Amino acid sequence: MKINVLTIKPLEFKGEMLVIPVYKKEGLPTDLSDLNKRLEGVISEIISSGEFEGELKTSYVLHTYGKIGARRLLLVGLGERKDFGIESVRIASGQAAKEADKLKIKEYGIIVFGIDKGLEPSYVAQAIVEGAELALYKFTKYKPKAKKSVVETLDLLSDEKFVDEVKRGAMFGSAYAEGVKLARDVANTPSSDATPEKIAKLALDLASQYNLPVKVFDTSEMKKLGMGGILAVGRGSDNEPKLIIIEYKGSDDKPIVIIGKTITFDSGGLSLKTPQGMEEMKYDKSGGAAILGIIKALSILKLPVHVIGILPAVENMPSGKAYKPGDIIKHYGGKTSEIISTDAEGRLVLADAIAYARDVYKPKAIIDLATLTGACVIALGNHASGLMGNDDKLLRKIEEVSEIVGERVWRLPLWKEYYDQIKSEVADIKNVGGRPGGAITAAAFLGSFAEDTPWAHLDIAGTAWTQEKTAEKPYIPKGATGVGVRLILELLKRL
Ligand code: BES
Ligand code: ZN
Ligand code: ZN
């Protein structure tokens, strides 16, 4: 989508549609009174009659019959002022974009709103662009006849005073959205078309597009490195596992390593899952998909940070060659783990990646994103990602940016007792610590490999795709959400 920043008044806008933000219970904003007058008071009439109440996620379209430059107005609700924040902007903008698309409008204008509430203009502009771009996302690769979005251009109407900030925010919004859209595409793709090899190909393409260093380890290289977790999980599948490492070097600092669980399909292996909902396990690569999205957005923005993305891409399948409960495997670095369930595979592949990152890159921090446990969904539902780790400062920063990007996280404790739950009689640790605290013992497993490197773990099992109880938002269509991309980007931007 093309974004223009215009320093014109709403009355001067000429085009198919102009979006007017409206707070609930407040009537027409005073700075739009001239517009209202030209339309013989129809806007204030619609609001005062209660026909349009300004509720969030609602909108109201009216024609202007040539009385002003804009052919239509779209009143879009911001909700009550007391509840208003940057997330309201994203939602309202998403609502407007979907309405524009429904009306087959190629270009529309939107007033950069909310600034009076003390939000920074650049953030408002960013949220408007994110809301619109992400609301119009459709996964149509397998529906060639599906209608593409018709919206091509978005005009941001800004005050002269803020124009530079608005432009900067719009640029960030577009780049973040590009990252999220890539992550959604990868996660939405069926596993048969997103094998470890195909994900590696995608990473190689991304790397060559932006001139990034990239490495792909295959089975024989991983054998040499002793990556027993990845090899064991991958052994049951005909699709060979790959370890993908893609680097974005925007500074000479020590890197931050971001690792994404990339199980291209999680059947459970020999600890086979029940058929109910198994199709959703194509989304078990959402963590890795997010990593690719983050790297793409960083490359577009040329941010001055040093980031290494790691994707252990593995398919978890049962077969005569598959790894089995009771097996003991040796991870990169030598730690051993006893397999209780072959369905607790994510932690096994992440363990190798974390240990490798620590050893080879000596990073400032490691952050992993993983659709790791059903237990996290039981704990937090579909309304937050689980947040755990060993570094309070890092976790606090993640909590802080979570508010800004509108991706909720919630911290779970990671006390020593949880580590005790995964002690094994026959190996250093075991891959299941029982049902109690399942999301946390999974994190403890990862923490055993992060050791003293500052590390944060996001369990995105409940948030990576829209599920039964996911709250509807205009900018989050059904399927993969791309969660984590904007969160980590905002974190990196502020570090
Ligand atoms: N990929 C799943 C976790 C998952 C389940 C994510 C449902 C999203 C929705 C993971 O590999 C898994 O199967 N975990 C098991 C662990 C158990 C065997 C200890 C689980 O959560 O049931
Ligand atoms: Zn599993
Ligand atoms: Zn899994």
Side-chain angles (χ1 to χ4, degrees):
M1 180 192 292
K2 185 170 184 301
I3 315 286
N4 298 319
V5 178
L6 311 176
T7 53
I8 56 169
K9 297 265 173 297
L11 253 183
E12 294 162 333
F13 178 80
K14 290 188 180 63
E16 285 295 306
M17 185 173 99
L18 178 64
V19 179
I20 311 257
V22 177
Y23 283 110
K24 194 176 171 184
K25 293 187 181 159
E26 289 193 15
L28 190 71
T30 45
D31 46 343
L32 295 176
S33 58
D34 48 347
L35 194 83
N36 188 43
K37 234 176 261 162
R38 283 277 289 278
L39 292 166
E40 292 158 48
V42 66
I43 312 178
S44 50
E45 176 63 27
I46 288 167
I47 295 172
S48 64
S49 67
E51 226 166 302
F52 181 70
E53 294 191 316
E55 195 82 64
L56 202 60
K57 301 182 199 171
T58 66
S59 53
Y60 188 107
V61 62
L62 61 143
H63 279 258
T64 61
Y65 305 105
K67 287 178 187 150
I68 59 169
R71 185 157 167 227
R72 299 180 194 81
L73 294 181
L74 184 76
L75 309 181
V76 57
L78 294 178
E80 278 188 51
R81 198 179 280 263
K82 67 172 173 52
D83 306 323
F84 178 79
I86 200 75
E87 180 65 0
S88 323
V89 177
R90 222 173 267 118
I91 290 172
S93 173
Q95 171 74 20
K98 284 175 79 171
E99 206 59 43
D101 194 38
K102 220 189 290 170
L103 295 167
K104 302 200 170 48
I105 290 171
K106 279 195 191 154
E107 176 170 356
Y108 66 96
I110 185 164
I111 299 171
V112 178
F113 49 80
I115 291 172
D116 56 323
K117 183 74 194 312
L119 295 178
E120 279 175 45
S122 73
Y123 276 96
V124 176
Q126 179 172 341
I128 292 177
V129 173
E130 287 173 2
E133 286 277 14
L134 298 178
L136 297 177
Y137 171 85
K138 289 177 191 149
F139 182 66
T140 53
K141 231 193 284 181
Y142 297 87
K143 269 184 150 183
K145 283 188 213 134
K147 277 183 253 131
K148 303 268 182 297
S149 149
V150 297
V151 177
E152 289 169 359
T153 308
L154 174 57
D155 300 317
L156 302 180
L157 274 60
S158 159
D159 201 306
E160 191 89 57
K161 281 197 298 236
F162 310 125
V163 67
D164 290 335
E165 289 152 85
V166 167
K167 279 185 181 157
R168 184 179 147 79
M171 183 182 78
F172 272 92
S174 302
Y176 280 27
E178 280 309 302
V180 173
K181 288 192 281 185
L182 173 62
R184 286 180 182 174
D185 277 344
V186 173
N188 279 327
T189 302
S191 63
S192 301
D193 285 339
T195 58
E197 192 178 350
K198 290 195 171 161
I199 305 256
K201 168 88 171 44
L202 255 170
L204 289 167
D205 290 347
L206 183 66
S208 78
Q209 189 182 350
Y210 294 103
N211 221 339
L212 311 171
V214 63
K215 276 186 293 206
V216 178
F217 294 147
D218 61 14
T219 304
S220 67
E221 287 157 305
M222 286 190 278
K223 269 186 190 152
K224 281 183 213 144
L225 291 167
M227 297 188 157
I230 296 175
L231 292 169
V233 175
R235 217 165 55 219
S237 169
D238 289 342
N239 298 307
E240 249 205 276
K242 304 279 181 195
L243 182 71
I244 304 158
I245 303 180
I246 183 164
E247 182 167 3
Y248 170 80
K249 199 164 188 304
S251 86
D252 290 325
D253 292 351
K254 275 206 295 180
I256 291 174
V257 175
I258 51 176
I259 302 176
K261 173 174 173 182
T262 316
I263 297 296
T264 57
F265 187 74
D266 183 12
S267 69
L270 287 171
S271 313
L272 193 62
K273 288 184 180 295
T274 50
Q276 178 69 246
M278 202 201 270
E279 71 284 359
E280 295 195 324
M281 285 299 115
K282 71 169 183 175
Y283 296 118
D284 215 20
K285 52 179 151 44
S286 298
I291 303 302
L292 294 177
I294 293 164
I295 297 287
K296 178 169 185 181
L298 289 175
S299 308
I300 296 172
L301 289 166
K302 303 193 173 71
L303 284 190
V305 292
H306 185 191
V307 177
I308 292 172
I310 306 186
L311 293 80
V314 192
E315 188 174 60
N316 186 21
M317 294 290 278
S319 85
K321 286 184 288 180
Y323 80 130
K324 301 180 279 296
D327 284 357
I328 296 174
I329 61 181
K330 193 191 268 186
H331 294 276
Y332 180 92
K335 208 167 267 163
T336 57
S337 62
E338 178 194 3
I339 307 307
I340 304 299
S341 167
T342 63
D343 196 12
E345 82 298 336
R347 61 200 78 179
L348 301 174
V349 305
L350 291 169
D352 285 340
I354 292 171
Y356 182 81
R358 226 174 72 75
D359 183 38
V360 174
Y361 300 111
K362 318 263 183 282
K364 249 195 306 209
I366 296 176
I367 303 169
D368 78 81
L369 291 161
T371 47
L372 203 61
T373 65
C376 190
V377 191
I378 301 301
L380 302 174
N382 303 117
H383 314 306
S385 304
L387 174 63
M388 286 148 273
N390 62 9
D391 187 279
D392 193 55
K393 246 172 92 185
L394 176 63
L395 298 183
R396 277 186 203 205
K397 273 192 200 126
I398 294 175
E399 288 172 329
E400 205 181 293
V401 296
S402 136
E403 296 269 320
I404 297 163
V405 300
E407 290 183 356
R408 284 200 186 118
V409 300
W410 198 257
R411 222 197 278 194
L412 299 171
L414 192 47
W415 296 308
K416 177 185 163 295
E417 287 79 357
Y418 298 106
Y419 283 86
D420 293 342
Q421 257 176 266
I422 53 167
K423 283 185 180 154
S424 162
E425 295 293 328
V426 291
D428 292 326
I429 45 176
K430 55 186 176 186
N431 80 334
V432 177
R435 302 242 300 161
I440 308 177
T441 51
F445 190 96
L446 304 181
S448 310
F449 292 86
E451 297 185 8
D452 53 3
T453 302
W455 154 75
H457 159 61
L458 284 153
D459 192 329
I460 55 171
T463 51
W465 68 96
T466 58
Q467 299 169 19
E468 199 194 337
K469 301 292 182 194
T470 305
E472 281 198 33
K473 283 184 189 177
Y475 73 89
I476 304 198
K478 292 231 178 335
T481 59
V483 77
V485 174
R486 291 183 303 110
L487 181 77
I488 301 302
L489 283 168
E490 193 60 31
L491 179 77
L492 293 169
K493 179 178 150 200
R494 287 159 166 260
L495 279 179

